[in-house]
Amino acid sequence: MQSLKSPSAGLPLHVLRMTVPFAMAGLCLWAVFTRIELPSLADLGGLLGGLQMWQWLAACGATAVSFWALGRYDSVAHRHLQTGLDGPQARRAGMAAIAFSQLVGFGLLTGAYARWRLVPGLTAMQAAQLTGLVGLTFLAALTVICGIAMVLFPVFAWFPPIGALLITAALAASLLSFVAPQLDLGSVSLRWPSLTAMAALLIWALIDVTAAGTALWMLLPASLDISWATLLVVYAIALGAAILSSAPGGTGPLELMVFSLLPAHDSAGLLAALLAFRLVYYALPAAIACVVMVVPERLKSTRAPLTDPDLLGAQQRSSETLPHHRLRAESGVIRQNGGHIQAFGFNQLALLDSPQISVALFDPMIGNLKETLTPLQRYARQRNTAPCVYKCSARNALAARQAGWAVLRIAAEAVVSPIHFSESGSNHRQLRRKLRHAEKAGISVRPAPPNLPLDQMAALDQVWQDRHGSAHGTTMGRFEANYLTMQRVFLAWQEERIIGFVSLHTAETEWCLDLIRICPNAPDGTGHIMLRAAIAAAREDEIPRLSLAAVPDHRLAPRMDQGLRRFKACFAPDWQPRYMACPTWADMAIAGFELFRLIHRPGPVHPASLALLHRQNDNPGTDRDAETLAWQSAQEDQPGSAHSAARAS
């Protein structure tokens, strides 16, 4: 028989968890009292009374700066968790929650309760996640601050090596968070803060610790001669011990660390300064927080929140609503990489969100890039990411530079005009030679049927990847059935065998080359004859512009993809420069490394792109099968085709 667990079975463990912080505080206070000679109450009162009014006011000012930074710290955490509640009220609630938890102790529980009570719309789970995130990241930021302080201000001989070790560990963790943005722990997945968020958290934590340490330094009696830098280092280390202890207000561990790291100074003066610091930095904010907790309505802003700072509004739309009349056909890649359409007023961007950046791909689909730069910065700020515009035209790059953004030339796009394209002339001599080789080998190219021969194409793609390595992604397409059904596809046949295919994004006024797959033993010129067929089809549809996509265009570009560059050069295209733009060069560095990671280590194909294929599979036969039969009949009737030759024989 299964025994029933007594309700009181877990009580001893619960009591133990509740009493350990108090026991630690008592133990640390006992250790302090055994190390120092306690002054009398009269002496202690005399030391406190000797503090000047300006010292108290300066300490109160430094305390205000410290809590202001902590409120900003909460804002970054809200953005990381995407609560949508970031704003003045959330920042004030963060300040009150920290002041309240400092007084009561048990920071995770009391901080979560305070935030849940003070921020309308914040769920209990979100409040707990927010408090845990703030606590863990603050400890990490404090570790970095302590490491830097120990190296710059070596109070003891062992400070520099320990500080260097802490800094190295922090840099390794930052690199790990960039390479692997998500940490999987069994069934739980944790997302690292972005590098932008880490930098912001470190800055706000540095301001907080510096201001708090300054408040303590301001309250030192005249008898103590401790430099500001020395006290900041000691306070940062003592603060870390206080936070780890979970003792109410860090009482005990904070004092023990201060006296242990400053043993040669007047203990009575230090005790008086710490007591004054407790009154200014702990008691006063805690009193204000308690009032706010009792009457939380006082925390609410009297002004209506501005939910949408963009005058004409912002709207996020699925990639399934990608307009056919867009300016850049290549923006169709968002159907596969998880991107979406972001509308800022009448302007629409193909936007991709990653752990580090919010990148607008290519030129705007509709509208003016200059009008989207500021809204794009706000959008990225709400995600703690760096804003970026990738592979935009020279005109839009100039608009970004005029707006103060950093601009870098990164690529050159090969563009031809199908309507005016001709194979004659000396600049197409190499193309004609390649085409003759393909025609002598008996290669024919035809548009793919509505029902694509996906099995053969998939096998060809796999052979191509075995030879060239895994396909790049994110800004370049990858083989995927549903993705190809939304493109124009041309197949290269040799006898009854498919030896290659190309796919193109299509829009109202432009086509753009996406995938090109050729089997390893295909005759020379196979790719050229497929692309010539695509240009001819675009001419028939009166498409004025066909992009052969871009190639790198920087100092190292001549050493990269030489074969691809030569292939496109055979068509004598117009090489148009493409640029990358970010608000700052620091953002540019983050965006560059992140795009490199995304392109060379793409994630799985976004599930949303499979919706269309699923709908087709749920309704097999009928229309698309009829279209395929009609296509096959038309191909067999073409003179000289592989099908007609087989039928005649």
Side-chain angles (χ1 to χ4, degrees), residues 70-87 89-98 101 107-139 190-191 193 201 382 384:
L70 290 173
R72 296 286 172 174
Y73 199 100
D74 253 46
S75 290
V76 180
H78 272 280
R79 292 170 195 154
H80 176 75
L81 295 176
Q82 292 290 286
T83 64
L85 298 171
D86 176 42
Q89 185 170 344
R91 291 194 290 271
R92 290 192 289 267
M95 291 186 280
I98 291 172
S101 61
L108 182 59
L109 296 176
T110 56
Y113 171 74
R115 289 181 175 89
W116 170 77
R117 178 170 174 78
L118 297 175
V119 182
L122 190 70
T123 65
M125 178 59 71
Q126 287 177 323
Q129 291 174 337
L130 187 66
T131 304
L133 177 65
V134 168
L136 290 174
T137 56
F138 188 85
L139 271 177
L190 301 177
R191 182 168 57 91
L201 293 171
Q382 292 170 357
N384 288 330

Side-chain angles (χ1 to χ4, degrees), residues 17 83-84 124 204 206 217 242 335-336 339 358 366 376 412 456 513 534 549 578 580 597 605 630 635:
R17 284 199 301 262
T83 64
W204 296 125
L206 179 60
W217 184 72
R335 290 182 172 127
Q336 187 179 67
S358 295
I366 299 173
L376 178 60
Q456 299 178 64
L513 177 65
R578 292 293 175 257
M580 181 174 170
R597 182 186 71 84
V605 174
Q635 298 302 315

Side-chain angles (χ1 to χ4, degrees), residues 499-560:
I499 61 171
F501 68 89
V502 295
S503 71
L504 297 97
H505 297 290
T506 61
E508 188 175 39
T509 58
E510 184 192 53
W511 289 6
C512 179
L513 177 65
D514 187 27
L515 299 182
I516 179 166
R517 298 289 187 265
I518 304 172
C519 67
N521 59 348
D524 185 32
T526 301
H528 300 77
I529 198 171
M530 287 193 294
L531 193 50
R532 184 187 68 172
I535 294 173
R539 181 191 299 117
E540 291 179 4
D541 288 359
E542 299 182 347
I543 301 298
R545 188 177 189 275
L546 190 147
S547 170
L548 307 183
V551 296
D553 188 23
H554 45 74
R555 291 183 179 179
L556 300 179
R559 303 178 184 178
M560 301 173 61

Side-chain angles (χ1 to χ4, degrees), residues 367-594:
N368 189 337
L369 178 68
K370 188 173 183 179
E371 296 177 1
T372 68
L373 295 178
T374 300
L376 178 60
Q377 281 185 274
R378 280 194 291 261
Y379 176 89
R381 183 171 176 269
Q382 292 170 357
R383 299 186 61 251
N384 288 330
T385 54
C388 173
V389 178
Y390 182 68
K391 283 171 63 175
C392 67
S393 64
R395 178 174 60 86
N396 286 320
L398 178 60
R401 178 168 290 167
Q402 290 173 345
W405 284 40
V407 176
L408 183 67
R409 179 168 175 167
I410 58 169
E413 185 174 7
V415 178
V416 299
S417 172
I419 296 175
H420 302 99
F421 182 79
S422 172
E423 299 169 14
S424 61
S426 59
N427 55 353
H428 289 109
R429 182 173 58 253
Q430 184 71 7
L431 174 62
R432 292 193 299 270
R433 187 175 68 85
K434 295 288 186 180
L435 293 176
R436 285 195 300 270
H437 291 170
E439 290 168 353
K440 287 181 181 179
I443 297 175
S444 62
V445 179
R446 297 185 295 276
N451 272 356
L452 298 174
L454 293 173
D455 291 341
Q456 299 178 64
M457 294 170 67
L460 183 59
D461 176 75
Q462 187 59 54
V463 171
W464 183 90
Q465 292 194 59
D466 292 341
R467 183 181 180 88
H468 297 87
S470 299
H472 295 164
T474 305
T475 60
M476 294 175 277
R478 290 179 289 167
F479 182 88
E480 187 267 313
N482 186 58
Y483 182 64
L484 288 170
T485 63
M486 293 177 278
Q487 295 182 325
R488 289 293 295 267
V489 179
F490 295 85
L491 304 174
W493 296 81
Q494 189 175 38
E495 297 179 351
E496 294 299 312
R497 184 170 66 100
I498 296 176
I499 61 171
F501 68 89
V502 295
S503 71
L504 297 97
H505 297 290
T506 61
E508 188 175 39
T509 58
E510 184 192 53
W511 289 6
C512 179
L513 177 65
D514 187 27
L515 299 182
I516 179 166
R517 298 289 187 265
I518 304 172
C519 67
N521 59 348
D524 185 32
T526 301
H528 300 77
I529 198 171
M530 287 193 294
L531 193 50
R532 184 187 68 172
I535 294 173
R539 181 191 299 117
E540 291 179 4
D541 288 359
E542 299 182 347
I543 301 298
R545 188 177 189 275
L546 190 147
S547 170
L548 307 183
V551 296
D553 188 23
H554 45 74
R555 291 183 179 179
L556 300 179
R559 303 178 184 178
M560 301 173 61
D561 293 328
Q562 297 181 11
L564 184 61
R565 187 184 294 269
R566 287 196 300 268
F567 168 72
K568 295 179 181 181
C570 288
F571 294 86
D574 176 23
W575 292 98
Q576 299 178 0
R578 292 293 175 257
Y579 298 84
M580 181 174 170
C582 294
T584 66
W585 287 109
D587 292 331
M588 182 77 75
I590 293 174
F593 284 113
E594 177 72 346

